[in-house]
Amino acid sequence: MIHGRCVAEASGAAESKQWSDRFTQSVLEWLAVSETDCQDLRNMPYGEAANDMLLLMLRCRRDDEEAVGKDASKTSMSLQIANDPDSLYSGLVLTCLGLSDLETHGLDIESHKKDSEQLRPFEYDARSRAAAFVISDWLDMPPQFVGAYESRIASGLERAADKSKLGDAGARALENEKQSKWGWRKYLATGAGVAVAGTLVGVTAGLAAPLMVAGMGAVGIGGLGFLATTGGAAMVGSLLGVAGGGVIGRRFNTRLRGLREFYFTQLPLGQSPADANTHALHATMFVPGFLVAAASASPFAPVRNVMGLDLGDAYTLYFETKELVALQGAFADFVRNTAKSAAVSVVLAKTVLGGLLGALTWPLAILKFGQLIDSPWAVGIERSKRAGKLLADVLESRAHGTRPVTLVGYSLGALTIFTCLNELHRRKAFGIVETAVLLGMPVDSTNVDTWTACCQCVSRRIIIGYSKNDWVLAFLFRASSLCTHLAGLSGVDESNMFADKPLARRKLMNLDLSSIIAEHSDYLDRLDDVMLEVSRFL
């Protein structure tokens, strides 16, 4: 309702409204807000007044101010949380994971499933993570705190569970899901409720001081035993995306989508073997738009070293690599040949790239080299759209885990992501994608319907990287009469497109990369510099 509204308002879907109510109720229960106050908040209209009231509760709420003044031991749970950043952020992340009231409900997942007022345990919705960043901003706290405490909690869950069992247990649980009514949830429904609630408290208590979460008490460290069982491993494995091998171990039906190649590789977290086996509560998927021939590593490998980027578990999606390598070669040949012509400097001097594409008359010296690039580009456009639909299949199946995902792509990779988001919207698959980064994207920036669909499917932010200097991208669309403005050349005019939708306007963020990108190939050649700029908004 209150926190959730700031994230879910744009979708207008009943499912998003239901999530919003669940999230708000979970936060109120975490803060131990009385039923009377809860009812008052529910009756308030959405808006700043309700937000301010809940913010005040987060900062300094007391159950009885007079009692607190006389006896410090009677300080309310919310006040203890507000005074302790460890408790605040650990509790906030656990609330987003649906784990803040397991002592009351135990591990009876079905009771949570039927109770529309509760977030489902171990299902980390992208909208919940986006709301956590909003709450952090309201509290004037650095957004990096959210990611830091996610890492601590994920490490604690993995330590409690047997890592060697995560993948196998998840695979067995997925198989059971197909053969029984409740699938892997049977493991949870038959567990020792209070003991496992204590397990989660014990995990976080070992991470960040005693966790002050309403409705949960510190149960001994012995309660950690359940997560090391097959059921516990399946629970953690499904959350962290290692069930059945995750996206790395899955086989995808490429023939159904008309593709020959579609697979993921993982970017290592660090240099040590221990880092490679660590999982996070969120994931990032990179999608390249063209590739250098015989490259031994992901083009996004240097991004791991960009300061300030919290990627979580990072994967690179490869599709139709032969065509993408051919496209990069075509770019190089085209630029090399046209650079010999003085006509290029004339084109750039006119600075028409920020205007209508159709208004530009290209010199013959450039047009004669169009055959070098037109065919590989057309093939790449078609394959990228097919890959986008297959990526939507992957995300909807939660092969990456029941956790939020950030999508990052350049050129045709951005088109793949854009197609995926529109496909997810068509299927009403919300709460999966937290952030999308679309760099040099060859998509019409004026189509209200497609951009509205993207805003409704992305929970937190859409970053549109563009360059006014990208004359190669402008040339590729020289014959298009339907597309007069490209997102990769001028960004999106969100103020006019969403004049009556403030949340959609806040989600869209244009990032001018003209000082870095001189032509289209620079999105690959200078990817680390580009991502350094992007990191300021993630």
Side-chain angles (χ1 to χ4, degrees):
M1 291 169 62
I2 299 158
H3 290 116
R5 183 60 178 251
C6 62
V7 175
E9 179 186 45
S11 69
E15 192 272 341
S16 289
K17 174 60 166 60
Q18 186 180 62
W19 164 83
S20 179
D21 292 341
R22 287 176 172 176
F23 181 82
T24 301
Q25 183 61 31
S26 295
V27 171
L28 293 175
E29 291 193 8
W30 163 48
L31 295 175
V33 178
S34 68
E35 182 57 36
T36 301
D37 289 340
C38 285
Q39 192 60 45
D40 289 341
L41 286 168
R42 293 190 192 99
N43 292 335
M44 291 186 72
Y46 292 127
E48 294 303 321
N51 286 339
D52 289 344
M53 180 179 292
L54 199 50
L55 175 59
L56 181 62
M57 290 179 179
L58 275 166
R59 283 177 169 161
C60 61
R61 179 180 174 271
R62 304 167 184 235
D63 288 331
D64 188 338
E65 293 188 8
E66 293 184 1
V68 170
K70 296 177 182 178
D71 185 354
S73 65
K74 294 185 178 180
T75 304
S76 73
M77 186 67 68
S78 297
L79 185 58
Q80 293 181 50
I81 292 172
N83 289 335
D84 183 357
D86 278 344
S87 297
L88 172 62
Y89 278 93
S90 294
L92 179 58
V93 172
L94 283 176
T95 299
C96 291
L97 284 168
L99 304 179
S100 65
D101 66 338
L102 280 187
E103 188 172 38
T104 302
H105 290 85
L107 281 195
D108 186 357
I109 302 300
E110 294 311 316
S111 69
H112 287 80
K113 187 175 181 180
K114 296 173 183 177
D115 186 355
S116 62
E117 293 186 355
Q118 301 298 318
L119 289 174
R120 296 174 185 173
F122 291 96
E123 293 186 16
Y124 196 5
D125 195 291
R127 293 163 293 192
S128 297
R129 189 170 198 253
F133 281 106
V134 172
I135 292 173
S136 182
D137 182 58
W138 282 349
L139 296 174
D140 299 322
M141 300 290 277
Q144 291 81 1
F145 275 29
V146 175
Y149 280 86
E150 282 180 339
S151 298
R152 297 171 76 171
I153 290 174
S155 297
L157 290 173
E158 284 196 303
R159 284 201 303 269
D162 186 345
K163 281 188 179 183
S164 65
K165 295 181 180 179
L166 292 183
D168 292 340
R172 288 195 297 271
L174 288 175
E175 185 63 27
N176 290 339
E177 182 85 20
K178 301 175 183 178
Q179 300 177 6
S180 63
K181 182 177 181 180
W182 303 120
W184 67 272
R185 291 184 176 88
K186 277 190 173 180
Y187 288 123
L188 312 184
T190 58
V194 175
V196 180
T199 293
L200 300 171
V201 174
V203 169
T204 51
L207 297 173
L211 180 61
M212 306 303 297
V213 179
M216 298 179 70
V219 180
I221 198 72
L224 294 174
F226 177 82
L227 290 184
T229 66
T230 301
M235 181 168 55
V236 177
S238 296
L239 170 66
L240 299 180
V242 295
V247 294
I248 304 297
R250 295 285 180 94
R251 285 188 174 184
F252 304 106
N253 192 347
T254 54
R255 294 181 61 187
L256 181 63
R257 295 297 182 188
L259 297 172
R260 295 189 306 273
E261 192 177 27
F262 186 98
Y263 65 92
F264 291 87
T265 62
Q266 186 164 10
L267 294 181
L269 285 173
Q271 301 298 325
S272 68
D275 289 335
N277 293 324
T278 301
H279 296 90
L281 287 179
H282 68 286
T284 301
M285 291 183 178
F286 294 107
V287 189
F290 43 87
L291 295 166
V292 176
S296 59
S298 166
F300 292 93
V303 174
R304 273 291 188 198
N305 300 320
V306 173
M307 185 178 298
L309 272 182
D310 177 19
L311 302 177
D313 290 338
Y315 307 92
T316 302
L317 167 60
Y318 291 96
F319 66 93
E320 308 295 78
T321 54
K322 181 179 179 180
E323 284 77 6
L324 295 186
V325 168
L327 181 58
Q328 165 62 11
F331 282 147
D333 291 342
F334 178 72
V335 172
R336 183 170 57 252
N337 282 279
T338 55
K340 299 175 183 178
S341 172
V344 173
S345 60
V346 174
V347 171
L348 297 179
K350 290 183 178 180
T351 63
V352 296
L353 298 181
L356 293 175
L357 296 181
L360 177 58
T361 301
W362 292 90
L364 289 176
I366 295 179
L367 289 174
K368 69 179 183 179
F369 295 112
Q371 59 183 343
L372 295 174
I373 197 173
D374 286 344
S375 180
W377 179 254
V379 171
I381 288 281
E382 179 190 8
R383 302 296 169 81
S384 297
K385 291 179 178 179
R386 294 179 183 178
K389 293 184 178 181
L390 186 50
L391 179 57
D393 294 342
V394 173
L395 295 180
E396 189 179 26
S397 72
R398 296 286 190 167
H400 65 287
T402 54
R403 55 182 176 167
V405 63
T406 293
L407 302 176
V408 181
Y410 62 84
S411 186
L412 295 184
L415 175 60
T416 297
I417 294 172
F418 191 80
T419 304
C420 169
L421 294 175
N422 277 271
E423 182 68 14
L424 288 174
H425 179 267
R426 186 185 67 81
R427 304 177 189 183
K428 301 187 183 303
F430 303 114
I432 299 174
V433 180
E434 178 211 336
T435 297
V437 180
L438 309 172
L439 306 170
M441 185 169 63
V443 165
D444 186 359
S445 61
T446 62
N447 189 316
V448 177
D449 292 339
T450 56
W451 284 102
T452 298
C454 284
C455 287
Q456 292 178 1
C457 267
V458 176
S459 301
R460 185 184 175 205
R461 188 167 292 160
I462 302 175
I463 300 174
I464 304 145
Y466 69 94
S467 172
K468 299 175 183 177
N469 302 325
D470 194 352
W471 63 275
V472 174
L473 183 59
F475 178 82
L476 289 165
F477 277 80
R478 66 192 181 282
S480 175
S481 59
L482 300 177
C483 179
T484 57
H485 287 81
L486 282 178
L489 291 177
S490 57
V492 175
D493 186 2
E494 73 280 3
S495 298
N496 289 327
M497 185 181 296
F498 299 116
D500 58 341
K501 297 178 180 178
L503 180 56
R505 291 200 306 271
R506 289 197 296 269
K507 283 186 179 181
L508 288 171
M509 177 174 294
N510 292 306
L511 180 60
D512 190 349
L513 300 171
S514 300
S515 61
I516 300 175
I517 304 299
E519 50 94 3
H520 207 58
S521 294
D522 287 342
Y523 281 107
L524 175 58
D525 298 336
R526 302 194 61 183
L527 190 56
D528 52 346
D529 295 327
V530 169
M531 291 306 296
L532 182 60
E533 288 295 309
V534 171
S535 68
R536 298 188 292 116
F537 305 102
L538 288 178

